[in-house]
Structure formats: C-alpha cells, structure tokens
C-alpha cells in the first residue's frame, strides 16, 4: 500500500472544514424538504399514474428493530420489511436470519407499485439501484419523506434479467442508513434468461457482502473519526446476508451465486482459497454474452457479479473458502475469508454452463453525440469541501451546463481519478472511486492508467469485469475510465455519484438532467 499514509490523513485533518461544511449543508438541505412530502404530488413530474392495477403491489416499511447477529444481546438495526398487497406472493422472498430487506423477484414487463413508509427518526427515500425508471420513481434525495408518511412508486420493470438492489438515498445520510441495515435485492428475470436453464430456486443464491464493526454489546459502530470519512468506512467483521462466519451448505451440482457488494466503501478482491478460477456469468446489468473465467474478481461498492459454480466434482465434506485477497488500496492490507461453502450432500443435475448467455449489442464510440469532445469528470479533493466531481459538490437541484444531456443521445463520459490534484492536497490521497450513474446501464470503453499508478492498478485491475452492462465502475487512482452511455425515455433530474457512501454523503454527487 503505497501512497495512503497516516501523514496524508493527518494532512487531511488540517482541512477541518471538510466535515463541518458537510454538516452545515445537511441542515440547509433538510429544511429544503418539500412542504407536503409523502404523496406522489411531491413527485417532480406530472401524471402520478396511479390509475389501473399493477401486477404486483408491495408495502415496504422501514423501521428500527433488533436482530440476533451474535449470541447474546441482539443488534439494533434499521431495516426494511415488505408485504405483498397484491399479485403473486413469490414477488417477495425473505432471507433467513437477516436485517436485510426482502428480495424482490419480478419479471421484466411487470408493473410494480411500492408503498414506502417508515418509522425512522429522520427522513428517507428509496432508490432502485440499476433500474431504468422515471424520475419520480428514482428516489432522488429531494423526495425524502418524514416518519409516518408514504411515498408511492409505480413503474414497469423494463430492465434486463439481472441482480439489482434498493437502498435509501437521503442526502448526507445514505451511509448511516445503509449501514444500519437498510438494503435489499431486486432480482429481475425474463424469458430469454429462463430458457437458458441456469440453476434456479434453492440453487440460485443471493450473497450480500457487507463489512461492519461492533462494540462489546453487539451494537453497530459507524464512523469513529473524520479521517475514516475520507477513505470511507471499513469494518473489521465480515457479514454475508447479515450473518457473521457465513457458511453456505451446497450439494454436488451447479449453483448460481449472485454477489452484491453492499458495503459502504470496502472493495473485495474475491478468489477461491484453493486457486480454482471463478466463472463469471453476469454483472450489474445482467448476463454477459458468454461466461468469463478469472483467477480473481474485483467487486467495488454497489456492484454485482453473478458466478456459475459447479460443485459436482467436489467430494462431500469439503469446505471451500471464498477469500478477499490483499490489494493496494484502503482495506486491502490483509486477506480475509468472506464466506465458506460446505459441500454437504450429493446432488444431481444435468445443467451445463451455456456457451452463450445473452446478446449484447455494443455501443459504438463513433456514434456518440460527443465523440469529438467527451464529457470529463475529474474526481479529486476540493479544498474545504472534501471529495468533489469537477470541483463541485452536491446541490439538491442544481445542474450545471455540462450536466445537461439530450434524451436519445449516446455519449462518452470520462471519469478521471486525479490523485495529485494540485493545491493543498497535491499528491495526498489516493483513493479509488466507484462511480455510479442512475437510471441506466453503460458499457465500459477503455481504461488508461498513468504509468506512475500502474503498480497500484495491477493489485486489483486484473479482477475487473469490464464486459457487459454496468451501472457502477471503479476508477482507480491515476486512472481514466471512458464509458458509453445512452439516455432514454425519461426526462428529468437524475444522479451520478461516487458509491463510496461516505464520499457520497460528503457531497461527491451531482445531478444530471435529461432534456428533449
Ligand atoms: Cu446505489 Cu445513487 O445509488
Ligand atoms: Cu443507483
Ligand atoms: Cu469516492
């Protein structure tokens, strides 16, 4: 681990206004709350569109609760609870022994209505991460609702079969709300996917990876000092689906594992302990064209990866550990086990890994409206404001000229992680930024690494799965990542931001607006 020294952190502390400014801004923002939040009238666009009957209707409630995580005292959490009000009961799947919210299981084309309410001591709103939904359904922070009120979402699932998720999005408080337990998966299937015969039912396993820190009373501990905010929160206890020391019992047959990095800031470098390569079949936006074999895979915050794992040849009784290996950015100082698979019984299956999984039409750079002059987004420390994008931090409704895009356009965006930002912080922090764009899935065009940062990049870069569709991409220090993205269907205000939730909360987030 090269350039992130304690001295750099101490230098950061010198910029004491960083957190203070963020806190002050939070108060301002909270008072900006719409006067009558909680109904779709507070939604930004007309046409609340509540007419007609949805295919699935769900009540989703967030509330403080306690769950047993360790033996002894239960852990205080904030969690989502769901109830199917209409449509098939299988639309919600409850994971055992967890604070995580229910897993939505929907089909492409279904119309879903979600009545979100909460009983929390602060405002909140739910965002459907990775889904292509209208502005009013995207969970923008200006739509937050107070305790005891309801926000109704009503949208059609237009997305490819894949593993998406939901979490709160109140500005300045996403980190703590997710940390306390508010998150859940949103799994979409379609006919093309079902025809493949991938492992399903009990052989299709969601695994949500989250690192946490607990005190001696089994209670969650969040950010303990300001330095931690600059790197993002890193816990010392690994939870999978909300459980420590997670063991997955399997049969000798193929499985589909759906991994979500639900951590606030931790980056995982996942590999089987015995060196068996991983077979990746899907990313954020669903299945790849064909399976991909990797010695290890990198999973940045908010990203998903789907694996095909065949235990057919593994003797019953074998225990296999999935590790996170060492790497050069914060959190990668030592390797640790993430979960254990225990081959517990014989299993039978004729399933075979298909050679082709889906069709992905590549976007062409030459078709981009801005091919000649890509939009660039420089990710760097801004004096007195912490992490910023092009020197700007979040303002609730502000959109700069270079953040306005045309509906229907394909564009190239370049994210540039500039560690030697000049000025006071010059050469200081080298932190990766998992950049997320709302409302769409993009394609990764290329990565360029400055020679000075190549060695650091090499500690993680070999695990990047740049194939397929993504809504979040990790941009390493000294790296430029060019992506191709297309704005479709919905006019309005959407977000792009760093999904290191501590960075997001300090304002490393901006709006973009789609216009006709
Ligand atoms: Cu998962 Cu705006 O985020
Ligand atoms: Cu999102
Ligand atoms: Cu960041």
């Amino acid at each position: 681990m090269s350039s992130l020294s304690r001295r750099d952190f101490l230098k950061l502390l010198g910029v004491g206004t960083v957190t203070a400014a963020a806190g002050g801004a939070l108060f301002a923002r909270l008072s900006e709350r719409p006067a009558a939040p909680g109904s779709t009238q507070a939604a930004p666009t007309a046409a609340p569109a509540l007419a007609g009957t949805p295919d699935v209707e769900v009540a989703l409630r967030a509330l403080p609760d306690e769950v047993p995580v360790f033996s002894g005292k239960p852990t205080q959490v904030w969690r989502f609870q769901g109830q199917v009000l209409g449509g098939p009961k299988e639309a919600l799947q409850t994971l055992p022994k967890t604070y995580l919210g229910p897993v939505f299981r929907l089909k492409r084309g279904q119309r879903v209505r979600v009545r979100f309410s909460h009983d929390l001591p602060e405002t909140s709103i739910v965002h459907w991460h990775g889904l292509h939904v209208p502005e009013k359904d995207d969970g923008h922070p200006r739509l937050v609702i107070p305790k005891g009120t309801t926000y109704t979402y009503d949208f059609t699932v237009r997305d490819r079969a894949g593993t998406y998720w939901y979490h709160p999005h109140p500005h300045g408080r996403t980190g703590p709300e997710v940390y306390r337990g508010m998150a859940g998966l949103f799994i979409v299937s379609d006919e093309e996917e079902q025809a493949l015969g991938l492992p399903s039912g009990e052989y299709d396993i969601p695994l949500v990876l989250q690192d946490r820190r607990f005190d001696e009373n089994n209670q969650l501990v969040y950010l303990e000092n300001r330095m931690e905010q600059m790197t993002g929160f890193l816990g010392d206890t690994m939870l999978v689906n909300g459980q420590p020391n997670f063991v997955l019992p399997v049969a000798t047959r193929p499985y589909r594992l759906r991994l979500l990095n639900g951590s606030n800031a931790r980056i995982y470098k996942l590999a089987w302990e015995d060196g068996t390569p991983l077979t990746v079949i899907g990313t954020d936006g669903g299945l790849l064209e064909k399976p991909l074999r990797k010695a290890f895979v990198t999973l940045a915050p908010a990203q998903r990866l789907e694996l095909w794992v065949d235990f057919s040849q593994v003797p019953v009784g074998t225990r296999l550990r999935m590790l996170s290996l060492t790497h050069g950015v914060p959190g990668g100082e030592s390797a640790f086990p993430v979960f254990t698979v225990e081959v517990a019984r014989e299993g039978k299956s004729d399933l075979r890994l298909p050679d082709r999984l889906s069709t992905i039409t590549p976007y062409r750079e030459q078709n981009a409206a801005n091919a000649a002059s890509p939009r660039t987004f420089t990710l760097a420390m801004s004096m007195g404001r912490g992490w910023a994008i092009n020197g700007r931090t979040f303002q609730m409704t502000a959109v700069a000229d270079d953040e306005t895009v045309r509906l229907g356009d394909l564009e190239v965006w370049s994210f540039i992680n500039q560690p030697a930002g000049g000025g006071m912080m010059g050469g200081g922090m080298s932190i990766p930024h998992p950049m997320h764009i709302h409302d769409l899935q993009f394609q990764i065009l290329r990565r360029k690494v400055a020679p000075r940062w190549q060695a650091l990049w090499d500690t993680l870069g070999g695990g990047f799965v740049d194939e397929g569709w993504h809504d979040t991409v990790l941009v390493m220090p000294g790296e430029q990542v060019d992506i191709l993205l297309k704005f479709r269907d919905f006019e309005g205000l959407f977000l792009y931001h760093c999904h290191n939730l501590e960075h997001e909360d300090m304002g490393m987030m901006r709006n973009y607006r789609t216009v006709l």
Side-chain angles (χ1 to χ4, degrees), residues 28-40:
R29 282 184 304 264
L30 287 177
S31 55
E32 272 171 35
R33 207 171 59 207
S39 65
T40 44

Side-chain angles (χ1 to χ4, degrees), residues 53 176 184 218 250 442:
T53 312
N218 296 344
V250 299
F442 52 79

Side-chain angles (χ1 to χ4, degrees), residues 127 129 436 438:
H127 166 59
H129 182 119
H436 169 52
H438 277 220

Side-chain angles (χ1 to χ4, degrees), residues 433 498 500 503 508:
H433 299 289
C498 180
N500 176 315
H503 294 184
M508 197 180 192

Side-chain angles (χ1 to χ4, degrees), residues 393-406:
T393 48
F394 188 61
Q395 292 167 279
M396 194 56 87
T397 52
V399 183
D401 282 348
D402 58 0
E403 294 172 319
T404 303
V405 300
R406 288 209 168 272

